[in-house]
Amino acid sequence: MKKILWTIFIILGVVLLAAVIYILYLFNMFNSGVSDSYEEIDRDRSELRVDDVDASNDSFTVLILGIDADAERTQDGQINADNFRSDSMILATFDRENDDVKMVNVPRDTLSYISSVNYFDKINHAHAFAGPTGAMDSVESLLNVPVDYFVRVDMNAVVEIVDAIGGVDFNVPYDMNGLQAGEQHLDGEQALAVIRNRSVDSDLGRGVRQMELIEAVIKQAQSLSSLSQVDDLIQIFTSNTSHNFATSDIRSLASHYLFNDVAFESTQLQGTGFTSESNGIYYAWPDEEHLFALSNSIREMLALDPSEPNDLINIRLGEQIQPVTEVSTDLLENYELESTPSYAEEGAENQYGDGFGIE
């Protein structure tokens, strides 16, 4: 009897030791992987912040940059992501107070100020001009909200991520790529096809689907039950992304947002398409009232003072803006609106409400 008990004890001990070794392996790989994918950028914190941000405890924003770096667009199979225009730009605000995540899709044709070249251009050019910092700066000037972090992800990683979590449930809006409209369980290739396709609607529709997929992936990831699945996700994350999060921040965020109920709400920046008379190029002029609503909603979540119209460069310069034309120092530093827009007057009701949850 003693031999049997001793044998059982030894077996249990070996199993426990193996489990500890595996957990330590994942921990060390996690630290190494996050360090490998960390990208230092040329700014400590947003100029719109007074204090440093602790992503483990504070509400914060992160700019998600989708880069479509397929084999034909890379050299020797190596992705030099800084050379690419961003295929998608989503500003996500993580509201710690209410466990909300609010996402704003910024259409890539949006006319926005790009400080690295000192002119207004399509916002997706900002990344090609100055990498993540350029994209972050451009979104900040557009919305007058701090952009605290960035995550840059190769769109092709969608295939691996979705497959690693066992696929996602997704409401396909139209018949596309061999899929029928309606609720479907998508594998990685199908998910990538759905968020890449713009033949059935437009870039705007594609942007909405990309936000919906992010929500679906997070919800499915919450159901992960094995360490091996976490292991797979860590490897995929480190192989296909770059970011400026500290290792401790990512661990804290993963444990919080994967094991708590989180409410998602998303919107797309409204705008009007036009072709510039000066260069014949198509742009999207962002709706000023929607910019104002989004700016103040996000600033409220971040416990910052409300924006004034002159704080948003697209509103302040308005008709003075000429695409791909250098902006004078006088305009940048001194020009102000002669009168307050009606939607910003005291007591005015914004037609977009808080800017979220609109069609």
Side-chain angles (χ1 to χ4, degrees), residues 147-190:
V147 178
D148 301 309
Y149 301 97
F150 81 92
V151 172
R152 181 172 60 195
V153 57
D154 172 15
M155 297 289 280
N156 293 292
V158 169
V159 176
E160 295 183 60
I161 292 171
V162 171
D163 284 341
I165 59 177
V168 292
D169 294 326
F170 193 84
N171 186 24
V172 180
Y174 314 98
D175 291 348
M176 64 172 79
N177 299 92
L179 295 168
Q180 291 185 337
E183 194 72 24
Q184 305 279 354
H185 189 76
L186 306 181
D187 63 22
E189 291 287 354
Q190 292 169 328

Side-chain angles (χ1 to χ4, degrees), residues 184-309:
Q184 305 279 354
H185 189 76
L186 306 181
D187 63 22
E189 291 287 354
Q190 292 169 328
L192 180 60
V194 166
I195 65 169
R196 263 187 174 163
N197 191 306
R198 52 181 173 176
S199 62
V200 293
D201 43 19
S202 64
D203 270 335
L204 303 183
R206 184 173 64 165
V208 171
R209 294 195 296 276
Q210 289 168 351
M211 290 188 291
E212 291 173 345
L213 183 67
I214 291 172
E215 180 177 349
V217 166
I218 292 177
K219 287 183 176 179
Q220 181 65 21
Q222 290 176 326
S223 68
L224 293 181
S225 58
S226 71
L227 287 175
S228 63
Q229 288 174 301
V230 176
D231 182 7
D232 289 342
L233 284 179
I234 291 171
Q235 292 189 53
I236 293 167
F237 179 82
T238 57
S239 299
N240 295 284
T241 68
S242 59
H243 59 85
N244 64 332
F245 282 99
T247 302
S248 58
D249 288 337
I250 290 182
R251 188 181 297 111
S252 173
L253 290 171
S255 63
H256 181 82
Y257 286 97
L258 289 181
F259 299 103
N260 288 283
D261 289 332
V262 179
F264 289 85
E265 195 169 15
S266 61
T267 193
Q268 188 167 68
L269 177 61
Q270 301 296 292
T272 304
F274 74 98
T275 299
S276 171
E277 293 181 0
S278 61
N279 60 15
I281 295 175
Y282 175 87
Y283 298 94
W285 178 260
D287 185 295
E288 296 178 4
E289 189 168 357
H290 196 209
L291 279 178
F292 193 68
L294 288 172
S295 178
N296 282 320
S297 291
I298 295 171
R299 290 182 69 87
E300 183 177 0
M301 285 185 277
L302 300 177
L304 299 173
D305 293 336
S307 288
E308 297 293 337

